[in-house]
Amino acid sequence: MTLTVAVQMDPLASINIAGDSTFALMLSAQARGHRLFHYGAEDLNWSDGRLWARAHPVTVQRVEGQHYRFGEPVSLDLGAEADVVLMRQDPPFDLGYITATHLLERIADRTLVVNDPKSVRDAPEKVWVLDFARFMPPTLVTRSLEEARAFLKRHGAIVVKPLHGNGGKAIFRVGEDGANLSSLIEVFNMTWREPHMIQAFLPDVAKGDKRIVLVDGEVAGAINRLPGEGEIRSNLAVGGSAQKTQLTPKEREICAALAPELKRRGLVFVGIDVIGGEWLTEINVTSPTGIVAIEKFDGTDVAGLIWDAIERRHQERTA
């Protein structure tokens, strides 16, 4: 089976090929004989029922600085000429991102979009996770300083983060004394119109924040991400380090609870974050990462598992 795959992502020149999950997916697709095209979300166009992008045919190789080669750009009809669209641009989950999901949803009956654009739009990382609040640490979503102070009084030290943030950016710990909480909420309210997420601080974050990757609802692997010295954030993008890990019984329970919804919603590639072996903090569906590190530690070909799932879904649609 040879598929035409359009990859909607950030500029290839700027990625870190050593750990980039989208690049790993492209390498895996190419090894299977699939034809790859690259375009950015800003390249989408719609008219008279057609959705197309100015896209470059692309080949990739794991050679730093020479990791991709573009062919001459073409006007690629995503509904008629592409078999699969990988929606892999990084957040922020802003109006540009949301608009791309609306446009891609218009071809989803003809072209397999991974992850499903409607489901991505309906399941932002720190909002959809509220459906599984029984697995979460104590959590407050608010813009109110008064509510934040009351939450701090109940739970002691807290973490404040933007509701639609990504990559460990703008995450702050506030101690039990509440120093700087009012200033922090003031800055957050000036920066973002939406509410913010406040959670009880989990000391176990010092032992790591586990990224678990699920492929079509099934566990494909996991890594434990350790925060750097003097940090509470363990994201690899902000200096965290990865180590081999195993799932706890509670983590397996969380994955089993998520699986039916992930399959039903067409969320093929998902990464969840769990602290202390029991506290679910995020369900990442926009542009999950971690598959390169999992392969490094476990030898699991997660990119291959993702393509197995995509090919299976494509066959089911065209049967």
Side-chain angles (χ1 to χ4, degrees), residues 227-239:
E229 185 176 353
E231 273 281 3
I232 63 167
R233 304 175 299 172
S234 56
N235 305 70
L236 303 185
V238 292

Side-chain angles (χ1 to χ4, degrees), residues 204-210 224-227 234 274-276:
D204 276 350
V205 74
K207 301 175 185 176
D209 177 359
K210 197 171 295 184
N224 192 41
R225 303 172 299 180
L226 295 169
S234 56
V274 182
I275 293 176

Side-chain angles (χ1 to χ4, degrees), residues 31-46:
R32 292 176 178 231
H34 301 325
R35 299 173 60 229
L36 294 173
F37 290 83
H38 172 278
Y39 72 94
E42 66 278 5
D43 298 316
L44 289 171
N45 309 276
W46 182 93

Side-chain angles (χ1 to χ4, degrees), residues 176-193:
E176 294 183 19
D177 61 1
N180 293 319
L181 178 60
S182 60
S183 297
L184 185 59
I185 296 298
E186 179 182 332
V187 170
F188 268 49
N189 283 349
M190 289 191 315
T191 306
W192 294 286
R193 294 185 63 187

Side-chain angles (χ1 to χ4, degrees), residues 1-187:
M1 176 195 308
T2 299
L3 301 176
T4 297
V5 180
V7 186
Q8 178 177 300
M9 63 179 292
D10 300 317
L12 273 168
S14 64
I15 66 172
N16 174 14
I17 67 170
D20 191 272
S21 292
T22 306
F23 188 73
L25 287 169
M26 295 173 74
L27 285 170
S28 182
Q30 183 175 271
R32 292 176 178 231
H34 301 325
R35 299 173 60 229
L36 294 173
F37 290 83
H38 172 278
Y39 72 94
E42 66 278 5
D43 298 316
L44 289 171
N45 309 276
W46 182 93
S47 181
D48 295 329
R50 292 179 58 246
L51 180 68
W52 72 94
R54 182 175 171 81
H56 288 84
V58 62
T59 57
V60 289
Q61 60 179 356
R62 196 173 286 285
V63 179
E64 187 66 52
Q66 303 176 38
H67 54 281
Y68 71 98
R69 179 177 297 173
F70 279 158
E72 289 298 316
V74 298
S75 179
L76 185 67
D77 188 321
L78 297 176
E81 298 174 325
D83 298 301
V84 177
V85 171
L86 291 185
M87 188 171 61
R88 291 287 304 172
Q89 79 269 23
D90 287 340
F93 190 77
D94 56 12
L95 280 175
Y97 207 112
I98 291 169
T99 300
T101 67
H102 279 295
L103 291 173
L104 288 172
E105 188 181 358
R106 296 177 180 277
I107 62 162
D109 60 334
R110 291 165 280 162
T111 301
L112 177 61
V113 184
V114 177
N115 285 322
D116 179 87
K118 182 179 187 302
S119 294
V120 168
R121 187 173 66 248
D122 292 347
E125 272 81 346
K126 296 182 184 71
V127 179
W128 186 39
V129 70
L130 302 178
D131 284 4
F132 302 91
R134 65 190 184 278
F135 299 122
M136 295 178 68
T139 298
L140 170 69
V141 177
T142 190
R143 288 176 59 86
S144 165
L145 175 59
E146 181 181 358
E147 296 295 343
R149 282 174 168 159
F151 187 83
L152 175 70
K153 186 175 181 180
R154 288 196 302 273
H155 298 289
I158 58 174
V159 171
V160 183
K161 49 191 173 182
L163 196 63
H164 296 300
N166 70 294
K169 301 181 185 73
I171 297 178
F172 294 87
R173 180 185 183 276
V174 177
E176 294 183 19
D177 61 1
N180 293 319
L181 178 60
S182 60
S183 297
L184 185 59
I185 296 298
E186 179 182 332
V187 170

